[in-house]
Amino acid sequence: MVQDIHETYLELLSVLKENEEFASKDSLTGLFNHGRIEIELYNAIQNKKETERPITLMMIDIDYYKTINDKFGHFIGDITLRDFVAVACDFLKSYNVKIGRWGGDEFVAVCYDIDISELMTIAENMRIKIS
């Protein structure tokens, strides 16, 4: 009986973890969704109050995205978003950054251990890479 309870507990824990992950991800891009990136931002602010660790924030918006959707349709717009996310995530993978979809074509990156001058360089290099 103890073994059955333990196995059931482990199964429930696994299902809970899967559902938690599903609930925190944007279904189109696979990034954190708005609610989850808000939590990350809140946690970063709380962390900053307790440590001297640099934390910066990057807001990202795709220029002319509405034009892409209007001219080519939402299917192509969705492909554009996924391709953008793939390039951005690949570019940011070597940094301690949590990125999420804020809404539409807007994204937020919470950047740990990166000061503002370094972030300006990273952002400009990422803009060049994406364009």
Side-chain angles (χ1 to χ4, degrees), residues 119-130:
L119 183 62
M120 294 293 290
T121 302
I122 291 168
E124 178 60 15
N125 289 337
M126 188 171 86
R127 184 195 66 77
I128 291 167
K129 175 76 172 175
I130 290 169

Side-chain angles (χ1 to χ4, degrees), residues 2-129:
V2 172
Q3 181 66 26
D4 289 342
I5 292 171
H6 181 69
E7 288 175 7
T8 301
Y9 168 77
L10 291 177
E11 287 175 25
L12 288 173
L13 200 58
S14 175
V15 169
L16 180 63
K17 185 174 173 101
E18 288 174 21
N19 286 334
E20 182 181 25
E21 175 120 354
F22 180 72
S24 67
K25 297 288 179 143
D26 174 67
S27 61
L28 178 63
T29 63
L31 297 176
F32 286 154
N33 62 23
H34 184 102
R36 178 59 182 85
I37 198 67
E38 245 181 19
I39 291 169
E40 189 70 32
L41 182 55
Y42 174 81
N43 290 341
I45 292 168
Q46 294 306 311
N47 189 342
K48 180 62 180 165
K49 290 177 182 178
E50 299 167 7
T51 69
E52 292 302 314
R53 182 180 182 191
I55 298 170
T56 49
L57 178 69
M58 182 169 32
M59 300 291 296
I60 307 161
D61 182 87
I62 302 174
D63 291 340
Y64 312 113
Y65 180 73
K66 184 178 178 339
T67 303
I68 293 168
N69 258 349
D70 291 348
K71 186 172 182 178
F72 301 105
H74 291 285
F75 179 74
I76 298 300
D78 289 353
I79 291 171
T80 302
L81 284 176
R82 284 192 295 268
D83 287 351
F84 165 81
V85 165
V87 173
C89 287
D90 185 60
F91 183 85
L92 294 171
K93 71 182 174 192
S94 63
Y95 301 99
N96 189 1
V97 173
K98 305 293 184 196
I99 186 169
R101 188 172 178 197
W102 196 250
D105 66 327
E106 300 160 339
F107 301 86
V108 172
V110 180
C111 309
Y112 295 93
D113 306 314
I114 299 172
D115 65 27
I116 191 66
S117 61
E118 184 181 7
L119 183 62
M120 294 293 290
T121 302
I122 291 168
E124 178 60 15
N125 289 337
M126 188 171 86
R127 184 195 66 77
I128 291 167
K129 175 76 172 175

